[in-house]
Structure formats: structure tokens, C-alpha cells
Amino acid sequence: MSTNEIKNLEEIFEAKIARDEKIEPKDWMPEKYRKTHIRQISQHAHSEIVGMLPEGNWITRAPSLRRKVALLAKVQDEAGHGLYLYSACETLGISREELYEQLHSGKAKYSSIFNYPTLTWADIGAIGWLVDGAAIINQVPLCNTSFGPYARAMVRVCKEESFHQRQGYEIMMTLCNGTQEQKDMAQDALNRWWWPSLMMFGPTDEESTHTAQSMKWKLKRKTNDELRQQFIDQTVPQADILGLKIPDDNLKYNNDTGHYDFGEIDWSEFWQVVKGHGKCNKERLNARKNAWENGKWVREAAMAYADKQHQRKTKQTG
Amino acid sequence: MTKQNLIHYIYGIADNALILGQRLSELCGHGPTLETDIALTNIALDLLGQTRSYYQYISNLTTDGSTEDDVAFLRKERQYRNVLLVEQPNTDFAYIIVRQYFYDVFHYMLLQELQLSKDVNLTAIADKSIKEVGYHQQFSGDWVKRLGDGTSESHDKTQQAVNDLWVFTEELFHLSNEDKIVVDSGHGINPKSFKDQYFNKISTLLEDATIKVPESKYFQKGGKDGIHSEHMGYILAEMQYMQRTYPDMKW
């Protein structure tokens, strides 16, 4: 293709995005757009399936049948999200095996929040309330992102996430209306999950490397700091209703800005976990690798059986 | 037939669903593919949903105010009436699938009969559950064929699982004395009526899957009388953890 032809295609592509039209898998797209989307969508898919693990940790110990069924269904929803996000990613010309390989080798990242341990039942409430709450704020703008398969997957993901968030809040509410021991358990979970939840929005705008390009492609509509502020403003009143205290002595409503001011985030902790040295990084990755490696013979059997069936059919018809 | 007889009989069905649902729950997030992970979780969800229906019925039958959760979480090991098959561990995917298939085929036939029970609550639960169990049986049966007639490795693993789990099949048809009273009253059903059909069906599918049907005539039983395997204590220790550590709280 000549330089002029490429330039022409690029113009058509940019114009489409400017008109808020979707880019579909078979449309021409710049290589950088394709790569960025593979990176982001796969990171998102990996987060869904690694995210099954900390919550999966409590399915067998859930305190009532109703909670057990709800948690099981929630974790299953996350598997479903992983499935359609991997499928969306595959439309960009990469296989699921390659994507898994990138996760297992550490080349691809997933959300660091899942490297924190779930220590009590209240953590399941706190994750639903805070982690899913933060995820929704990050993800709702993606329902309008430029890449069609991703945008459509996100519509469904967001609907389910908002259900999960209400479910998590309801667990917290039940604890906070319970015994002192249950309230303490809820407060302890908030104390441990608050700061990591704020870190879910990523580094501050000055530190963020991908923001400018991502804004242009509508992969992002607001900056990390804007989204973080939105989360805090939305969550503080919810904590008040629960009667829980946000673990930040500097948290204060600012009448001038109409937002909550908050304390300094410990970015050294953020980078430690991102770089693979959080409490559960190794366990999470090992759990995924084990599932994949232990499942190898099963996948091979399914392929071999399908081949045999195909051959038998061909023989019959031939 | 006393109310106690009926409750005892229902436990004999419901506890299977609970314990197998619990076993399958352990796997959530660890399946060999995302698709099988989702499918096995679906089966767990169906089984736990059925468990709740049976336990809610038991809770209505009791006069001591027991809830479905008291029934699920606060009994002692000897009071659980599940068969030994469903408490067997998730050794590998072949065990998971063979355990599931052996149970699903039985479960489907049981529900077919239970739809004819004199007890309207039990027929209602059976009507609802049988559709779900039809899918379970399809899923596990298809996988037995894939694994048995897949690669030589998968064949060997499946044969091993069948050999090891076969000893638990006979117990599915065991009736305690109290069960017999409920069967005679027309509220319960006698699984012996479909025992031959059961063994014919699973043998045919195993042969189809190139798996040898074990010839052993020695079987294990005890679960239905509350005498479980060593696995059961650990299942309960985990499942009852919250209820035992924080008694009398609402969650």
C-alpha cells in the first residue's frame, strides 16, 4: 500500500471516530489502535478471570445458602465477562492461547486489586461495594468506546457489575445492622480495601502514560484523577449510611470545590503490587497457570474426540 | 408415616444436592477451560437451588423454627444422609466428570419417579429440577465420551476414575428402614424400580466411550445411614465454618 493510500485510510478512520461511529473488526485500523486494544481488552479479560479467585475463596464458606448461591453466580458472571472480552479481543487477530500465554508469562497485566487477600466474609461485601463500584466508574464510559465489539461487551458487563455492587453493599448493610462483631468485621474490611480501591483508577494524571492517546480513541473519556474523585464523592455518603468510617483522617468535604479532599495515596504500595510483589500475586498467577496446565489433557481429549467424530462422519458420507 | 420419616427421606435426596454442589463450588475459577468452568458452576447453582427448595420444605415441616440454613449448616456429620459418591474429592477432571455422570443418570431417573409422588411439594420440586438435571446428564455424558474416546491419556484417566468410583454406585439404590416407610406410603419412590435401567444406561455409554465396565461385585455404602468417608468431616468443617464460628447471626 502506498503512503498516500495509508494516509487516506487513516483519515477515513479518524473521521469515523470523530463522528462517534464504531470501528468493526474487519475495518481498516492503524496498527497502534489494534495493539492498544489488544492490550487493554485482554488486560480487562484477565482481570475478570483472576478476579474470580479472591471471591471464589469464600464460596465454600459462605455463611448461608442464599449467600453461597449469590456469590457463586457472581463469580460465574465474571467468568462470562472474561469469555466475551476474550472473544472481543480475538476479533483483533490474536488467539485465546496467546492471550493466556501473555498472562502466565507476566507480559500481560491484570488489575492489581486482585492481589490482595480475602480474609473474612466482610471482604466479599467490601469487594462488591468498593471494587465493583470502582470498576463501574472505570467501565461505564467504555460502553461508548470506539471499538464495536468492546463497546457491546461492556454494555452487558456494566449491567451485571452494577447488580454485583448492590449485592456487595447489601452484604455490608446486613453486617452493619448485625452484632458488634459483624460491624467490626465490616469496618476492618473497609480499612483494608479502601486504599487499594482508590488505586484501581491508576496513577495520577501526571504519571499516566496512556491517557492522551486513549482519550482520542474514546478508550477513556475522563482522566484517572477525575474518575477517582467521582468514586470518592459517590462512596463517602454510602459509608455514612452504613455507619462506617473511611480510613482517611484527611478526608473532608470541600465546600468550594463541591468534592471531598482526601489524603495521600501510598504509591509505593501501588507500584510494589503492580510489579508483582503484592500479598497474593504469586498465588493468583499460579492458580491460573495450574488450571491451564492441569486442563491440557482435557482440551487435547476434546480436540482428539472432535477429530475422530469428524473422520467417522466423513467415512459414513464418503 | 410420621413427619420425621418424611424429613429423613427428603434429607436422603437433598443432602446429595448440597454436598455435590459444595464439591463443584470448590472448582469455580479453576476449570480446564472457561467454558467448562461456567458449565460446572451452572450445575452447582442448579443443585444448590434444588437443595434450598428441599430444605425450605423441611423447614416448613419442622415445628422447632429451623430455617433452611440451620438445616444446611448446623447438623452433625452423622445426620447428613448423602451418598458416599458425592463427597468424593475433585481428584482430577475425569473424576469430576465420572462422579457427575454416575450421579446425574441416577438423579434424572429418581426425579422422573418423584414426579409421581403423592406429596405435592416433592412433585413440584421434581418438576422444576428434572429440566435442569436433563442438561446435567447431557453435559457429563458428553464429556465421558470425549474423555474416554479422546486421547490415550484421557482414556486411562477416565478408566481409572470409573474403576475407583464404581464402588459407590450401588449405594444410590439403598433404602434405610425409614425410607421404606415413606416409599410404602406413596410419598417416596423406590429407586430399585429403575436400578437395572440405570446400570444398562451407564454401561452402554461407558462402552460407547471405549471404557470397560468394572466387574467388581464389591460396593461401599454407609452415607445414607450417616456413616461417611473421611472426606466428609473436612467438607463440613469448611462449609459450616461461619455458622460455627459466629453462632446465631444473620448474614
Side-chain angles (χ1 to χ4, degrees):
Chain A
M1 221 180 288
S2 73
T3 327
N4 262 347
E5 278 171 326
I6 291 179
K7 205 168 162 239
N8 193 21
L9 286 169
E10 266 172 10
E11 275 167 15
I12 295 171
F13 172 85
E14 298 292 349
K16 251 191 181 173
I17 290 188
R19 287 197 303 271
D20 256 340
E21 280 175 30
K22 295 285 175 254
I23 305 300
E24 295 301 333
K26 285 184 177 157
D27 294 345
W28 183 89
M29 61 185 79
E31 195 49 22
K32 196 171 172 213
Y33 180 90
R34 199 179 72 85
K35 284 206 171 123
T36 303
H37 277 77
I38 289 177
R39 184 177 58 80
Q40 175 157 338
I41 301 171
S42 68
Q43 190 169 317
H44 192 164
H46 298 326
S47 300
E48 296 285 355
I49 60 159
V50 177
M52 294 170 75
L53 300 169
E55 290 179 280
N57 184 38
W58 278 89
I59 295 171
T60 56
R61 290 178 293 168
S64 71
L65 288 176
R66 179 175 155 253
R67 294 292 185 202
K68 191 189 286 288
V69 168
L71 181 58
L72 194 52
K74 182 192 172 187
V75 179
Q76 188 194 35
D77 281 348
E78 282 154 14
H81 298 171
L83 197 57
Y84 21 98
L85 288 166
Y86 281 126
S87 305
C89 205
E90 284 172 272
T91 67
L92 290 162
I94 187 163
S95 69
R96 203 161 346 148
E97 285 70 22
E98 286 173 278
L99 293 168
Y100 281 149
E101 174 49 36
Q102 291 179 354
L103 171 68
H104 299 160
S105 71
K107 188 186 166 211
K109 298 280 179 233
Y110 57 87
S111 180
S112 268
I113 193 81
F114 302 120
N115 293 315
Y116 288 84
T118 48
L119 304 177
T120 71
W121 171 251
D123 289 23
I124 299 307
I127 289 181
W129 172 36
L130 302 172
V131 176
D132 289 306
I136 293 166
I137 289 181
N138 266 330
Q139 292 170 4
V140 164
L142 292 171
C143 297
N144 292 315
T145 190
S146 60
F147 186 53
Y150 193 28
R152 288 188 289 272
M154 290 317 298
V155 171
R156 189 158 165 191
V157 169
C158 284
K159 273 187 198 153
E160 291 178 350
E161 294 292 4
S162 92
F163 183 71
H164 296 164
Q165 202 240 353
R166 284 203 295 274
Q167 196 171 287
Y169 193 70
E170 200 250 324
I171 291 177
M172 295 303 273
M173 187 67 93
T174 308
L175 294 174
C176 292
N177 288 330
T179 63
Q180 189 58 45
E181 213 172 358
Q182 286 173 302
K183 276 179 217 163
D184 293 346
M185 193 190 275
Q187 181 66 55
D188 171 61
L190 172 60
N191 294 349
R192 283 181 289 109
W193 289 94
W194 175 252
W195 292 103
S197 299
L198 296 191
M199 294 176 200
M200 281 178 71
F201 298 94
T204 57
D205 294 347
E206 299 95 75
E207 299 276 329
S208 176
T209 45
H210 301 296
T211 298
Q213 181 67 77
S214 294
M215 297 277 263
K216 196 173 150 205
W217 287 336
K218 296 172 182 170
L219 256 176
K220 249 187 184 176
R221 301 230 163 183
K222 286 183 183 170
T223 69
N224 294 354
D225 287 334
E226 285 170 339
L227 293 169
R228 189 166 13 245
Q229 187 66 57
Q230 186 185 333
F231 174 74
I232 293 170
D233 292 345
Q234 167 189 308
T235 310
V236 174
Q238 295 171 352
D240 290 342
I241 293 171
L242 293 172
L244 296 178
K245 186 184 175 309
I246 303 269
D248 179 356
D249 291 337
N250 296 312
L251 188 85
K252 201 171 165 246
Y253 189 71
N254 183 328
N255 278 317
D256 296 336
T257 61
H259 296 292
Y260 282 89
D261 293 336
F262 55 97
E264 187 66 28
I265 291 173
D266 180 359
W267 292 109
S268 65
E269 176 182 318
F270 173 78
W271 291 113
Q272 178 176 339
V273 183
V274 169
K275 286 176 181 159
H277 308 288
K279 276 212 166 128
C280 298
N281 293 60
K282 273 192 193 140
E283 282 98 323
R284 301 294 185 240
L285 212 48
N286 282 343
R288 288 310 317 161
K289 280 194 227 172
N290 286 341
W292 186 244
E293 283 160 18
N294 294 337
K296 187 168 178 266
W297 68 269
V298 177
R299 297 189 300 276
E300 284 171 355
M303 294 302 286
Y305 180 76
D307 280 348
K308 283 184 197 175
Q309 290 297 95
H310 180 71
Q311 279 167 19
R312 281 168 198 154
K313 260 193 198 147
T314 328
K315 248 188 206 166
Q316 274 172 8
T317 52
Chain B
M1 182 193 71
T2 66
K3 226 184 239 181
Q4 274 318 310
N5 296 147
L6 181 61
I7 291 173
H8 174 93
Y9 176 80
I10 301 170
Y11 278 138
I13 301 172
D15 290 348
N16 288 335
L18 173 69
I19 300 301
L20 188 53
Q22 176 76 2
R23 271 292 188 223
L24 293 172
S25 303
E26 294 170 13
L27 296 164
C28 185
H30 305 277
T33 64
L34 218 37
E35 287 83 351
T36 44
D37 205 310
I38 291 171
L40 287 172
T41 303
N42 249 342
I43 296 175
L45 279 169
D46 287 342
L47 290 172
L48 292 170
Q50 293 167 18
T51 305
R52 292 187 69 189
S53 302
Y54 289 118
Y55 287 174
Q56 282 162 10
Y57 180 32
I58 288 178
S59 153
N60 288 338
L61 287 170
T62 54
T63 44
D64 62 1
S66 293
T67 65
E68 60 173 86
D69 288 323
D70 296 335
V71 163
F73 297 104
L74 293 179
R75 277 179 293 154
K76 303 279 193 304
E77 181 172 331
R78 287 295 298 269
Q79 295 170 309
Y80 285 84
R81 297 206 56 233
N82 57 283
V83 289
L84 300 173
L85 175 69
V86 296
E87 65 197 50
Q88 296 310 305
N90 299 321
T91 307
D92 66 18
F93 194 70
Y95 274 76
I96 293 161
I97 288 299
V98 172
R99 180 185 67 199
Q100 195 63 41
Y101 182 66
F102 285 175
Y103 183 69
D104 290 342
V105 174
F106 168 80
H107 195 190
Y108 191 84
M109 292 178 179
L110 174 109
L111 292 174
Q112 272 181 322
E113 293 292 316
L114 200 61
Q115 284 179 308
L116 308 173
S117 160
K118 267 190 199 167
D119 185 312
V120 289
N121 288 292
L122 290 180
T123 58
I125 299 173
D127 282 345
K128 181 181 167 286
S129 307
I130 198 161
K131 292 184 200 98
E132 298 167 347
V133 176
Y135 286 114
H136 303 174
Q137 164 176 268
Q138 183 72 43
F139 173 83
S140 59
D142 285 350
W143 269 104
V144 170
K145 286 194 262 178
R146 277 188 205 111
L147 297 179
D149 193 17
T151 62
S152 64
E153 184 184 9
S154 70
H155 173 89
D156 293 350
K157 282 183 194 283
T158 308
Q159 184 69 62
Q160 188 64 52
V162 167
N163 294 349
D164 290 353
L165 294 170
W166 187 259
V167 296
F168 302 114
T169 50
E170 168 86 14
E171 193 198 3
L172 293 164
F173 301 92
H174 173 72
L175 287 178
S176 70
N177 290 334
E178 280 156 294
D179 289 333
K180 282 177 194 151
I181 297 169
V182 180
V183 170
D184 290 342
S185 76
H187 290 75
I189 57 107
N190 189 351
K192 292 202 167 71
S193 66
F194 56 81
K195 189 174 173 183
D196 289 345
Q197 198 193 339
Y198 172 84
F199 280 104
N200 283 338
K201 181 163 174 149
I202 59 173
S203 300
T204 306
L205 187 124
L206 289 177
E207 280 159 16
D208 226 25
T210 73
I211 296 293
K212 263 195 211 128
V213 178
E215 282 166 12
S216 169
K217 296 278 178 269
Y218 298 102
F219 294 98
Q220 295 296 326
K221 64 175 196 292
K224 285 191 105 173
D225 296 314
I227 302 171
H228 294 277
S229 64
E230 289 182 350
H231 303 299
M232 189 65 177
Y234 292 94
I235 295 175
L236 295 184
E238 193 171 344
M239 193 176 77
Q240 299 183 339
Y241 165 70
M242 289 295 288
Q243 296 275 341
R244 299 282 183 209
T245 313
Y246 304 97
D248 302 324
M249 295 186 201
K250 295 258 177 305
W251 301 96

